[in-house]
Amino acid sequence: MAPAVEVSNSWDSSLMPELLPIYYKKLFPFTQYFKWLRYKESGPNYFKNREFSFTLKDDIYLRYRSYADQAEMEKDIRSKCPYKIDIGAVYTCSPKLRDMVRAGEFVAQYKELVFDIDMTDYDDVRSCCSGADICLSCWPLMTIAIKIIHRALTEDFGFKHLLWVYSGRRGVHCWVCDEKARKLSAAARAAVAEYLSLVKGGANMKKKVVLKYNQLHVSIRKALEIISDYFDDYFVNRQDLLSTEEQFQTLKGLITDEQVLALIKELEDTDGFGETSELRWACLKGIFCKRMSSEGSVCTSAPLHEMPHNMKEIMLQYTYPRLDVNVSKGVNHLLKSPFCIHPKTGRVCVPIDINHVDTFDPFKVPTLHDLTEQLAVWKGEGNLLDYKKTSLKPYIESFERFLTTLSKHNTESDNIVMDTTA
């Protein structure tokens, strides 16, 4: 079993009532947040009809919050100081006025296409942590998931505006903000999520990935190319997933190729496998490569993503993204907002720059305590905005770059519409 890479986290959740008012008064990016969610090209009611929900101290839950404008939203959030903010759908009328319309007239119309990837769903393929715990040894699973999902959504579906956000504790969220994504029906959302789902089956199912065809779908082939860059390091060095006999037998249970199993038995009978993950994995790759070779000779140079199907199934089962499809398919499903604070860790739910996903470290994300301390000790000169005095600055700037691209694309789309109707 691989030891967890220990990272200090001295967050004291009892500080939330004292520090949250400072955060919402000085640091929360209300202007950028409003600019995002109003989607200027979508009409004046788009923001007014958006649902927000709050989780307050002692788990008091408030749904169907909605606002006429940024000022009203700021006032309510600063007044309530929510421990958690969730964002819901855009409805046919303002959520706070839902009781004033007839039954059936309050309907969720639009929402970003969202994805939720949670590390707890990977407990059977990580040895360092379990449950809500994460460390730097298992975080590559999130890196792989982001890269695979991002590539598929942009290249296979043509979406352009994806906002990746750290959940604040053990996972990541993706907000697909393209207009065509926001207008998808529940059935279309479910279809996209199913397209991206490959690992199937519960805790009692051993083999969760079955590739039915010799000719791989391009999406799976591209995913394997991404996985190949990480698999050896994750499987052997970070997780040590073949160090025990039980782990080795678990992997053997995923192998259905009789010739491969026969070659494995030959080595086992001569104690040729060794006892370390590194040796065992090297032997397995050699066996699969030998199986692939028409001449029967061991070929150790084949890239992992070019190995036989059974090897690909193993790689996918251990590292392919595991999505909560229910989060994605529901138009009215709420999802935790960017820039709120996770009460268990104190960390801000910050955007993840897709161009720097390999260097993103969840343990370097600023906490509520970090930010208020940085404000308190600031000695610089000038009229800087408060967030620029803290380690939140690069994350808000990343969010602003996302918004600039989104706004530019919407403006270009408006111009195209004007040109075609002139």
Side-chain angles (χ1 to χ4, degrees), residues 207-222:
K207 190 172 177 62
K208 299 178 182 179
V209 176
V210 178
L211 301 177
K212 298 179 180 179
Y213 307 104
N214 288 330
Q215 186 67 34
L216 287 181
H217 188 281
V218 64
S219 184
I220 298 175
R221 180 169 54 80
K222 294 277 189 178

Side-chain angles (χ1 to χ4, degrees), residues 30 34 47 67-78:
F30 284 109
F34 176 70
F47 183 78
Y67 310 104
D69 52 30
Q70 179 182 333
E72 187 179 350
M73 174 183 65
E74 283 192 41
K75 182 179 179 181
D76 193 38
I77 290 177
R78 286 173 173 166

Side-chain angles (χ1 to χ4, degrees), residues 171-188:
V172 296
H173 300 152
C174 178
W175 299 75
V176 186
C177 302
D178 302 54
E179 183 179 10
K180 64 180 180 180
R182 288 182 271 130
K183 291 181 175 180
L184 288 175
S185 65

Side-chain angles (χ1 to χ4, degrees), residues 404-415:
T404 297
T405 303
L406 179 63
S407 177
K408 180 181 178 182
H409 181 265
N410 289 336
T411 300
E412 290 173 350
S413 297
D414 288 345
N415 290 337

Side-chain angles (χ1 to χ4, degrees), residues 84 86-87 111-122 134 139 141-142 145-146 149-150 153 162-176 189 192-194 196-199 320-330 333-337 342 349 352:
K84 180 187 175 191
D86 287 293
I87 300 173
K111 196 191 70 177
E112 297 80 3
L113 175 62
V114 296
F115 298 91
D116 180 9
I117 308 170
D118 196 313
M119 193 72 85
T120 56
D121 294 324
Y122 292 84
I134 65 167
W139 188 255
L141 289 170
M142 294 295 105
I146 291 171
I149 300 300
H150 191 90
L153 290 172
L162 279 62
L163 178 65
W164 286 96
V165 181
Y166 171 49
S167 72
R169 191 178 189 186
R170 60 177 183 257
V172 296
H173 300 152
C174 178
W175 299 75
V176 186
R189 292 165 191 266
V192 175
E194 287 295 337
L196 296 170
S197 298
L198 197 58
V199 182
Y320 190 83
R322 301 183 177 198
L323 303 177
D324 185 340
V325 175
N326 290 324
V327 171
S328 301
K329 70 182 183 181
H333 197 289
L334 293 108
L335 187 65
K336 187 191 303 176
S337 168
H342 197 296
C349 299
I352 300 173

Side-chain angles (χ1 to χ4, degrees), residues 8 21 102 106 112 120 137 141 154 166 310 372 378:
S8 173
R102 289 178 293 184
F106 181 65
E112 297 80 3
T120 56
S137 290
L141 289 170
T154 54
Y166 171 49
N310 215 167
T372 52
W378 171 257

